[in-house]
Amino acid sequence: KSIEMLYKFHGRDSAHPDIARCLGNLANVYYLQSDYAKARHHVNKSLAMFYKVFGKDSAHPDISSCVRLLSKLPETTTHGNEIESSTTKRQSNVQCTKSSKRRKLDKMDR
């Protein structure tokens, strides 16, 4: 409801920091609920609005928050299916490397 109130007050086509923050908050809620498609949609709208308000080259904390949330979202395919995030891939690669090194050390001890 708050987003609708903000749109009504500032105008639906208005780029206002309050609207952008509300969209960012919604994105965080969707992220916590693991609804990554909705989270991505709202954080992208929020980021676009912050860029309009502060400029693309701005180092504003609200822009940083949006970018940070985007980096936490898993990548998606063109069909909307979630795939492993790059962080998960890196973690599993590290685990595989550690396991491989342990096996080599075990063979050397024999």
Side-chain angles (χ1 to χ4, degrees):
K1 284 188 173 186
S2 65
I3 191 74
E4 290 305 319
M5 291 170 67
L6 288 168
Y7 279 136
K8 190 173 183 178
F9 184 77
H10 295 291
R12 190 156 288 280
D13 296 327
S14 173
H16 194 277
D18 290 344
I19 297 171
R21 277 187 209 98
C22 191
L23 289 167
N25 289 338
L26 284 170
N28 277 306
V29 169
Y30 287 126
Y31 171 76
L32 292 172
Q33 293 175 343
S34 299
D35 191 341
Y36 301 126
K38 285 184 182 176
R40 184 175 304 280
H41 171 76
H42 283 82
V43 76
N44 280 328
K45 284 178 71 171
S46 176
L47 186 59
M49 194 171 290
F50 279 134
Y51 281 152
K52 283 183 186 175
V53 172
F54 300 118
K56 281 202 173 232
D57 295 329
S58 173
H60 195 277
D62 287 331
I63 292 174
S64 175
S65 294
C66 288
V67 171
R68 189 171 39 255
L69 178 57
L70 275 173
S71 73
K72 290 195 260 182
L73 291 171
E75 299 168 19
T76 55
T77 63
T78 55
H79 302 292
N81 300 322
E82 294 167 26
I83 56 176
E84 285 184 298
S85 69
S86 55
T87 303
T88 305
K89 289 177 189 173
R90 277 194 303 274
Q91 288 171 345
S92 68
N93 286 341
V94 168
Q95 291 301 321
C96 289
T97 304
K98 286 180 181 178
S99 297
S100 176
K101 285 180 181 178
R102 267 190 241 121
R103 282 193 298 268
K104 286 179 184 177
L105 288 172
D106 287 344
K107 286 180 183 179
M108 291 172 61
D109 287 342
R110 292 181 197 165

